Amino acid sequence: MTTLADAFDPLSAAYLNDPQAAVQPLLADSPVFFHEALNSFVVTRHEDVRAVLTDFETFSSGAYKALEPSVEALATIPDEHKRVAQLVIGGGILLNLDPPVHTRERKAAQKAFTRPRVNQASDNIAAKADALIDGFADRGSVDLMQDFAYQLTLAVVGDMLGLPSEHLPRFHAWIGEVFGLMSPIDAKPGTSARSDADIVDAYTRMYSAYEFFSEFVADRRENPGDDLTSAMLKLTDEQGEPLLSNDAVLAHMVSITAAGTDTTANLIGNTVRYLTERPALLEELKADETLWEKVVEESLRRAGIGLHLFRYTTRDTEIRGVPIPARSMVLLNIAAANSDPLVFPDPLAYDIHRPNLSEHLAFGSGRHFCIGSPLARPEARLALQTLYRRLPGLKADLEEKQEYLPALTVRAMLNQTVTW
């Protein structure tokens, strides 16, 4: 007999269409369970997910590696390509680091990623949004994700990092490769739904992009500008030595861009869908623009881009009476935690007046709280306000089939037609 836990399929179209609706039976029936196909213990309750996120001594963040094709195909990938993939995915970005390395790297990045720098970036968001809208305002219809959301968020983060505009599409594509190749550390070669050829090609693209952007970072170290990349490269320790290596700076660029682009772009796309379904709420927002901040928080809770996080147990433990041995993979279901009815009553409702909006875990919790969140929130709010100011009557095509990036960790929307 197939149980609810057996039927859990995080890459299925039904699940990606609305993960929170899909996990409601699990929250009641199987809040913690072992999933054979993922070789992971899945944790769904908000209380338990938050507890795991804050206990790095038991649940290590070093739980990821680069996805591997079959043994035969893996042998065809050059060693340097494998090294770069593991450097970026397994040991580079903050998401995958534990203290004390994580503490040092994050503290260093935060010295450069300051509030004044975020405020400076925020000041230009509405103007950039207006410029993009000028290009299609007379068309009456557009792909919101490809023609606006991703372009806007890339431009904002690109300016902050000092990346030339012509390099932005390639950098964004590279980030897609990073998250598309992110795999649990104990996944066996050849067990992915992706073809060997696709995975091998992804390694090649990742290495090519790494070489290209490594040259950019090296040039910035020699010829610094007034941008976040240069600011990170200028950081020094007490002996005057560089605090961050070129590879570390490049990894931080990936983390900040992922938070400032895909997270924000999906916030924009999902919020337009929710407001299309709720014209009365849109009228409420027109009457009181201060409510836009609550809209952003509820969209983060209801449809945040981060679906799952993996952790790796360092010792025997248990959650809700379920024993979890040392060296086990644990999948934290963020979508489930953010729709836990014990924390968010009527969890599938889109309600900006919830008294506990800020309790969602869309940006993580504890040491791994998203470093890019101070930019993502105002960026989404200003983009949405500009869209509805410039395009009265904006509506999402709710019948359109949504396409998503095929990845375990994120639910990145790739298309959304809108009309006005």
Side-chain angles (χ1 to χ4, degrees):
M1 178 180 177
T2 301
T3 66
L4 289 171
D6 292 333
F8 177 66
D9 184 359
L11 290 178
S12 68
Y15 184 85
L16 290 172
N17 183 58
D18 189 345
Q20 293 187 339
V23 298
Q24 290 306 302
L26 284 172
L27 280 161
D29 178 76
S30 307
V32 181
F33 62 92
F34 183 75
H35 192 272
E36 191 73 35
L38 294 173
N39 194 31
S40 301
F41 290 87
V42 180
V43 181
T44 62
R45 286 286 182 195
H46 185 280
E47 177 186 5
D48 302 328
V49 170
R50 183 189 287 273
V52 171
L53 286 172
T54 54
D55 182 5
F56 70 89
E57 292 180 334
T58 305
F59 302 96
S60 170
S61 297
Y64 299 91
K65 67 175 181 181
L67 181 66
E68 295 175 339
S70 67
V71 173
E72 294 77 15
L74 187 63
T76 69
I77 300 175
D79 288 342
E80 184 63 6
H81 292 198
K82 295 175 190 174
R83 184 193 72 80
V84 165
Q86 188 57 30
L87 170 73
V88 176
I89 293 173
I93 58 178
L94 286 172
L95 179 69
N96 303 341
L97 299 177
D98 289 322
V101 176
H102 176 272
T103 304
R104 183 187 70 242
E105 293 286 323
R106 184 181 176 105
K107 187 178 293 185
Q110 285 181 315
K111 286 182 179 179
F113 194 61
T114 60
R115 174 61 65 179
R117 195 174 294 278
V118 171
N119 291 342
Q120 183 181 5
S122 298
D123 289 342
N124 299 321
I125 291 171
K128 290 181 184 298
D130 271 320
L132 284 170
I133 294 170
D134 286 342
F136 57 70
D138 60 350
R139 286 162 50 184
S141 176
V142 76
D143 184 330
L144 181 67
M145 303 308 296
Q146 299 302 324
D147 297 329
F148 179 79
Y150 284 120
Q151 288 196 37
L152 172 66
T153 55
L154 267 176
V156 171
V157 176
D159 275 0
M160 175 181 279
L161 291 171
L163 280 168
S165 59
E166 63 270 23
H167 297 338
L168 293 179
R170 185 173 185 180
F171 195 70
H172 185 241
W174 185 38
I175 291 170
E177 299 287 3
V178 170
F179 284 94
L181 280 178
M182 196 174 286
S183 172
I185 198 168
D186 66 343
K188 295 178 176 59
T191 57
S192 168
R194 296 176 67 174
S195 69
D196 280 353
D198 184 32
I199 297 173
V200 171
D201 286 347
Y203 271 80
T204 302
R205 292 191 298 269
M206 177 174 284
Y207 180 73
S208 175
Y210 168 82
E211 280 196 312
F212 183 86
F213 290 107
S214 290
E215 290 181 8
F216 167 79
V217 172
D219 179 72
R220 270 294 191 272
R221 190 176 289 280
E222 295 299 319
N223 305 287
D226 183 23
D227 53 64
L228 179 56
T229 302
S230 300
M232 288 190 287
L233 290 166
K234 290 177 185 176
L235 294 171
T236 57
D237 60 20
E238 294 176 354
Q239 286 73 44
E241 296 297 318
L243 198 56
L244 294 171
S245 68
N246 286 11
D247 280 345
V249 169
L250 193 53
H252 289 317
M253 290 170 65
V254 170
S255 298
I256 291 167
T257 304
T261 56
D262 290 8
T263 298
T264 311
N266 279 264
L267 259 178
I268 294 167
N270 282 306
T271 301
V272 170
R273 288 182 63 86
Y274 289 131
L275 293 179
T276 298
E277 296 171 326
R278 297 164 178 80
L281 175 56
L282 190 54
E283 292 302 314
E284 192 176 354
L285 291 167
K286 290 178 182 177
D288 184 359
E289 289 204 343
T290 65
L291 294 176
W292 278 106
E293 291 186 0
K294 292 188 174 184
V295 166
V296 169
E297 293 306 311
E298 180 65 347
S299 290
L300 282 166
R301 182 199 71 82
R302 186 62 180 85
I305 188 173
L307 282 184
H308 313 112
L309 290 171
F310 283 94
R311 292 294 185 264
Y312 191 68
T313 55
T314 61
R315 54 196 177 195
D316 292 347
T317 187
E318 69 172 47
I319 301 176
R320 292 191 182 270
V322 176
I324 302 177
R327 298 180 298 281
S328 295
M329 291 300 300
V330 176
L331 182 149
L332 304 178
N333 194 313
I334 306 299
N338 285 340
S339 59
D340 186 342
L342 297 181
V343 179
F344 304 104
D346 195 7
L348 300 185
Y350 185 85
D351 181 5
I352 71 167
H353 298 294
R354 293 180 185 277
N356 60 342
L357 281 176
S358 62
E359 292 183 27
H360 67 75
L361 301 176
F363 286 130
S365 183
R367 290 170 175 80
H368 283 276
F369 191 81
C370 178
I371 194 172
S373 62
L375 176 62
R377 285 182 163 110
E379 192 177 7
R381 175 178 57 80
L382 289 166
L384 287 161
Q385 287 177 298
T386 305
L387 274 172
Y388 283 98
R389 172 176 57 81
R390 290 289 308 278
L391 305 173
L394 180 71
K395 290 182 174 61
D397 180 356
L398 300 178
E399 300 303 316
E400 179 183 27
K401 181 182 178 182
Q402 302 303 130
E403 300 291 339
Y404 298 94
L405 182 74
L408 268 175
T409 52
V410 294
R411 176 181 178 254
M413 184 191 301
L414 301 179
N415 64 296
Q416 178 58 70
T417 300
V418 293
T419 58
W420 55 91

